[in-house]
């Protein structure tokens, strides 16, 4: 609408003065914004007052679209491209009369074009410009250009979109047919960017007023710029389609998998979990990248002395080796790396997992399915008839599984498994608490490895500094020996997102089942006593291993204290 007409109408009904009209003209000229926007920004009138004035002047009805309930069938009367082209919203259909909301009462050519294109009688009512835009996005979805701008905004915020050679795709026909759809581009960008930044998880969490997206990078959750809340349903639906989940089921949790291709030759698996929450389905995508499973023991974070000890342990002909730690402490990566070392043509390896996260060549992997009676214990029992050399049990959860694992180790098999305990000595008492006889624990378990993951200092911005007296005290170094002590930290750079850290490695506690420790297990000694005796015999605790890695420049003292702060040495 002509700016002068709006100003004349508002002055005629005493909404603005001539002085305010002139100020609005100047503001519009200097800012490049319309007079209507200028009047609102200057605080002279509200958008609703402008709409009311226009409706009154031209004898038209006023509608507030944010309060209107529009029948979806009415929305279908006008195609998306036409609605955006003319910036109009269909409101009501009465026989052959279609009522549309417009912001400019003088746009008679729009109404005439609609009559011709739709072959319907069209009448106009007035609505606020802002509400028309919101309603278009609500009923038709955002314009592709707006999604592209969103992607650009995310890129400007520090998240780059994959290039042409890094296009993410899956094997679904639906994806191939709609490769250019904006929401598909958005989901693909979220996944490919998470992979590029080496995230382990993608968390998509519906909040009351926004759709929050976070990446877990090096164990720390980092929030990225959020897409509009209105895209929540489309984004979650797209992920459920890719994971072959039930689109109609929103009341129960679901699990699925996605196989995607990033770049020309890189394929990764995603484990998808949905959970009904207050404001919609919360979705977590776990990135399962096989490249981390073929790491050598050095790459896992073992120093030479521990690496030699672990190599000796995993090459034992029989016995149980347990790996302990909380969820997310790298137990699976360590297990698979050990199996990778043992995966030779002369060995048969069987794994029993729930679920099978990584598919490895040359290894027989069995998925536990409790709903049909395929439990850890039943699968493990059947495995023994397959004459394996090495068995990996995902987790020892109950007495039956524990007893079969013990019997397997005593009959000439090498068994790897995990337990959720805070330290190595706690695994012994956990097995006994589950009902395994102490003498069986002592004779079958060869070693227990407890571990945590710590962030490594970014090699690009690594710098040295002289530790304070407090830091020397934590390191157990006397002040008279402080001259030769140097610690390291990351200054922060673009390569590490200004965090000073890049990547993670393990800190370890290795408990060897020596004769002395076996005697304590026979006596059902508490874990604290077993731990104390093991330290007297040379076992390094998690904190002690971490401190020597801080001194070596692998990580920082702050990071070691953060990871082991609740860990009583």
């Amino acid at each position: 609408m002509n700016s002068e007409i709006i100003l004349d109408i508002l002055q005629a009904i005493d909404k603005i003065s001539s002085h305010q009209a002139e100020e609005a003209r100047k503001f519009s000229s200097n800012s490049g914004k319309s007079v209507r926007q200028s009047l609102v920004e200057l605080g002279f009138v509200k958008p609703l007052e402008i709409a009311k004035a226009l409706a009154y002047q031209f004898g038209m009805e006023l509608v507030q679209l944010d309060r209107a309930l529009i029948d979806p069938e009415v929305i279908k009367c006008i195609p998306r491209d036409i609605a955006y082209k003319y910036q109009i919203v269909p409101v009501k259909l009465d026989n052959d009369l279609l009522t549309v909301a417009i912001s400019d009462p003088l746009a008679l050519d729009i109404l005439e074009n609609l009559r011709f294109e739709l072959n319907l009688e069209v009448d106009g009512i007035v609505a606020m410009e802002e509400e028309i835009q919101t309603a278009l996005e609500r009923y038709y979805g955002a314009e592709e250009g707006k999604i592209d701008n969103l992607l650009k905004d995310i890129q400007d915020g520090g998240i780059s979109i994959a290039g042409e050679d890094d296009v993410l795709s899956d094997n679904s026909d639906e994806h191939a047919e709609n490769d250019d759809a904006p929401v598909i581009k958005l989901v693909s960008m979220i996944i490919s960017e998470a992979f590029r930044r080496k995230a382990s998880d993608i968390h998509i969490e519906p909040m009351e007023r926004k759709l929050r997206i976070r990446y877990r990078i090096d164990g720390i959750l980092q929030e990225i710029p959020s897409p509009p809340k209105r895209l929540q349903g489309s984004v979650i639906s797209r992920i459920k389609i890719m994971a072959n989940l039930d689109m109609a089921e929103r009341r129960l949790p679901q699990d699925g998998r996605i196989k995607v291709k990033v770049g020309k030759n890189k394929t990764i698996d995603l484990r998808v979990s949905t959970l009904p929450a207050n404001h919609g389905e919360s979705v977590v995508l776990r990135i399962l990248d096989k490249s981390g499973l073929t790491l050598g023991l050095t790459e896992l974070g073992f120093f030479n002395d521990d690496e030699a000890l672990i190599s000796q342990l995993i090459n034992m002909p029989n016995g149980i080796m347990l790996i302990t730690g909380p969820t997310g402490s790298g137990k699976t990566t360590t297990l698979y790396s050990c199996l990778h070392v043992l995966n030779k043509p002369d060995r048969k390896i069987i794994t029993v997992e729930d679920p099978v996260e990584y598919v490895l060549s040359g290894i027989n992997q069995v998925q536990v399915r409790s709903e049909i009676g395929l439990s850890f214990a039943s699968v493990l029992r059947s495995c023994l008839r397959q004459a394996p050399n090495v068995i990996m049990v995902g987790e020892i959860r109950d007495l039956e599984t524990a007893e079969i694992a013990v019997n397997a180790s005593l009959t000439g098999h090498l068994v790897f498994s995990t337990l959720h305990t805070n330290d190595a000595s706690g695994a012994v008492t956990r097995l006994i608490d589950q009902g395994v006889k102490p003498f069986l624990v002592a004779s079958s378990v060869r070693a227990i490895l407890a571990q945590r993951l710590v962030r490594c200092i970014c090699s690009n911005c690594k710098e040295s500094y002289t530790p304070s007296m407090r830091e020397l005290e934590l390191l157990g170094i006397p002040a008279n020996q402080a001259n030769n002590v140097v610690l390291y930290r990351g200054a922060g750079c673009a390569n590490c997102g200004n965090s000073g850290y890049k990547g993670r490695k393990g800190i370890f506690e290795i408990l060897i089942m020596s004769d002395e420790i076996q005697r304590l297990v026979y006596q059902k000694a508490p874990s604290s006593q077993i731990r104390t005796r093991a330290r007297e015999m040379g076992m390094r605790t998690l904190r002690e291993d971490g401190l020597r890695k801080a001194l070596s420049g692998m990580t920082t003292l702050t990071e070691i204290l953060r990871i082991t702060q609740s860990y009583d040495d």
Side-chain angles (χ1 to χ4, degrees):
M1 175 180 281
N2 186 283
S3 301
E4 293 303 321
I5 295 177
I6 294 177
L7 294 174
D8 289 344
I9 293 173
L10 293 175
Q11 288 182 81
I13 60 176
D14 293 327
K15 282 295 180 183
I16 61 171
S17 65
S18 57
H19 173 73
Q20 289 173 326
E22 185 58 32
E23 191 172 343
R25 289 189 187 95
K26 290 180 180 179
F27 186 88
S28 174
S29 176
N30 294 332
S31 66
K33 297 181 179 180
S34 69
V35 167
R36 187 183 302 206
Q37 291 173 318
S38 301
L39 287 166
V40 173
E41 288 199 18
L42 291 170
F44 297 154
V45 290
K46 296 178 180 179
L48 182 58
E49 291 177 318
I50 297 176
K52 284 181 177 179
L54 293 174
Y56 174 79
Q57 182 67 27
F58 291 98
M60 298 174 69
E61 183 185 343
L62 174 71
V63 62
Q64 290 184 253
L65 293 175
D66 61 343
R67 301 179 182 179
L69 295 176
I70 303 176
D71 191 330
E73 293 301 317
V74 176
I75 295 295
K76 293 178 182 178
C77 292
I78 297 183
R80 182 179 184 276
D81 56 338
I82 293 178
Y84 269 106
K85 176 183 176 182
Y86 295 125
Q87 291 292 291
I88 51 99
V89 177
V91 176
K92 183 172 57 176
L93 179 64
D94 187 5
N95 294 324
D96 289 334
L97 177 61
L98 178 65
T99 303
V100 300
I102 60 175
S103 61
D104 183 359
L106 292 180
L108 301 178
D109 56 328
I110 291 179
L111 300 180
E112 190 60 39
N113 290 340
L114 284 172
R115 292 186 186 104
F116 176 76
E117 293 182 31
L118 302 175
N119 196 27
L120 288 171
E121 195 61 35
V122 180
D123 192 16
I125 56 177
V126 177
M128 286 183 282
E129 217 170 17
E130 297 81 359
E131 287 191 359
I132 286 178
Q133 192 59 47
T134 301
L136 285 171
E137 294 172 356
R138 183 194 311 150
Y139 294 114
Y140 291 102
E143 290 180 282
E144 185 165 336
K146 290 185 177 291
I147 297 295
D148 290 339
N149 290 337
L150 168 67
L151 298 181
K152 183 178 184 301
D153 291 342
I154 292 178
Q155 182 179 17
D156 293 342
I159 300 176
S160 61
I161 302 171
E164 291 183 5
D165 291 337
D166 296 319
V167 175
L168 182 146
S169 63
D170 63 60
N171 297 323
S172 66
D173 294 334
E174 187 272 342
H175 179 90
E177 292 172 3
N178 299 283
D179 190 51
D180 294 329
V183 171
I184 293 178
K185 286 183 180 179
L186 177 61
V187 172
S188 297
M189 182 279 298
I190 291 170
I191 297 174
S192 59
E193 180 60 24
F195 177 75
R196 187 189 70 80
R197 293 176 65 178
K198 300 187 183 305
S200 59
D201 308 287
I202 305 170
H203 295 254
I204 301 175
E205 304 161 311
M207 302 285 108
E208 183 177 5
R209 298 184 182 276
K210 70 174 184 177
L211 179 64
R212 182 168 70 176
I213 298 180
R214 296 188 289 177
Y215 295 154
R216 189 181 296 278
I217 301 174
D218 294 337
I220 306 297
L221 282 171
Q222 299 180 15
E223 187 167 354
I224 68 172
S226 301
K229 174 71 172 177
R230 64 180 179 273
L231 296 181
Q232 174 179 311
S234 300
V235 169
I236 294 174
S237 294
R238 171 59 188 160
I239 293 172
K240 291 174 76 172
I241 288 172
M242 294 174 71
N244 293 317
L245 300 180
D246 185 354
M247 295 288 294
E249 182 56 76
R250 296 183 177 90
R251 300 167 301 170
L252 297 173
Q254 296 188 70
D255 294 299
R257 295 179 76 96
I258 301 173
K259 184 183 289 291
V260 294
K261 183 178 180 183
V262 181
K264 294 179 180 178
N265 301 309
K266 185 70 175 178
T267 300
I268 60 173
D269 289 327
L270 302 172
R271 192 175 73 199
V272 182
S273 172
T274 69
L275 182 69
N278 281 348
H279 304 293
E281 290 179 281
S282 175
V283 180
V284 175
L285 294 87
R286 180 79 181 271
I287 299 176
L288 307 174
D289 181 17
K290 293 181 185 177
S291 61
L293 304 179
T294 57
L295 297 174
L297 296 178
T298 303
E299 286 78 10
L300 292 177
F302 289 103
F303 278 171
N304 290 339
D305 53 349
D306 286 341
E307 182 179 347
L309 179 57
I310 292 296
S311 295
Q312 179 183 345
L313 291 171
I314 66 176
N315 281 287
M316 296 183 299
N318 55 62
I320 297 177
M321 181 169 175
L322 293 172
I323 300 178
T324 74
T327 300
S329 60
K331 299 188 300 295
T332 300
T333 300
T334 300
L335 272 177
Y336 277 113
S337 295
C338 291
L339 294 182
H340 177 71
V341 173
L342 296 173
N343 190 12
K344 301 289 192 299
D346 62 342
R347 289 191 180 99
K348 178 165 183 172
I349 302 175
I350 299 179
T351 72
V352 186
E353 305 169 68
D354 182 21
V356 174
E357 292 188 350
Y358 304 91
V359 179
L360 299 179
S361 176
I363 294 178
N364 301 276
Q365 297 173 269
V366 183
Q367 168 80 51
V368 168
R369 297 179 61 188
S370 300
E371 68 275 10
I372 61 171
L374 201 63
S375 63
F376 272 108
S378 62
V379 175
L380 189 52
R381 192 179 294 108
S382 299
C383 283
L384 298 179
R385 304 189 192 106
Q386 297 281 314
N389 300 104
V390 180
I391 300 172
M392 191 270 274
V393 184
E395 182 184 352
I396 295 179
R397 299 179 178 177
D398 52 44
L399 174 59
E400 187 178 9
T401 304
E403 286 181 335
I404 298 171
V406 167
N407 290 333
S409 70
L410 295 175
T411 54
H413 302 88
L414 180 60
V415 179
F416 291 89
S417 191
T418 68
L419 279 176
H420 286 95
T421 60
N422 288 328
D423 58 12
S425 58
V428 173
T429 53
R430 173 65 60 85
L431 287 174
I432 295 174
D433 288 343
Q434 286 181 343
V436 182
K437 300 292 190 234
F439 75 91
L440 289 175
V441 174
S443 56
S444 62
V445 176
R446 295 285 183 265
I448 304 168
L449 172 71
Q451 70 175 70
R452 301 289 190 278
L453 291 177
V454 295
R455 293 181 292 172
C456 298
I457 300 172
C458 173
S459 59
N460 194 55
C461 60
K462 184 176 182 178
E463 61 180 17
S464 60
Y465 72 98
T466 303
S468 65
M469 293 304 296
R470 173 58 178 159
E471 289 174 317
L472 290 172
E473 181 183 339
L474 290 169
L475 290 167
I477 298 174
N480 59 0
Q481 299 179 17
N483 292 336
N484 297 324
V485 177
V486 178
L487 292 181
Y488 298 86
R489 61 192 172 197
C493 64
N495 185 52
C496 61
N498 292 315
S499 68
Y501 297 98
K502 187 75 171 179
R504 288 189 295 175
K505 288 190 177 181
I507 56 174
F508 306 97
E509 176 178 290
I510 307 172
L511 173 63
I512 304 298
M513 194 64 69
S514 62
D515 293 341
E516 183 67 18
I517 300 299
Q518 282 183 331
R519 184 180 62 79
L520 292 174
V521 174
Y522 285 139
Q523 297 171 355
K524 291 188 178 181
S527 61
S528 58
Q529 187 177 343
I530 295 174
R531 175 181 173 78
T532 300
R533 183 59 185 140
R535 291 187 66 184
E536 292 172 353
M537 298 175 66
M539 182 188 80
R540 271 186 297 268
T541 66
L542 287 168
R543 176 166 288 186
E544 289 167 347
D545 189 48
L547 292 178
R548 68 172 184 157
K549 285 170 180 173
L551 285 170
S552 74
M554 177 188 292
T555 186
T556 65
L557 182 60
T558 302
E559 180 71 1
I560 295 302
L561 296 177
R562 180 182 73 86
I563 293 297
T564 62
Q565 62 182 341
S566 61
Y567 186 75
D568 184 12
D569 286 327

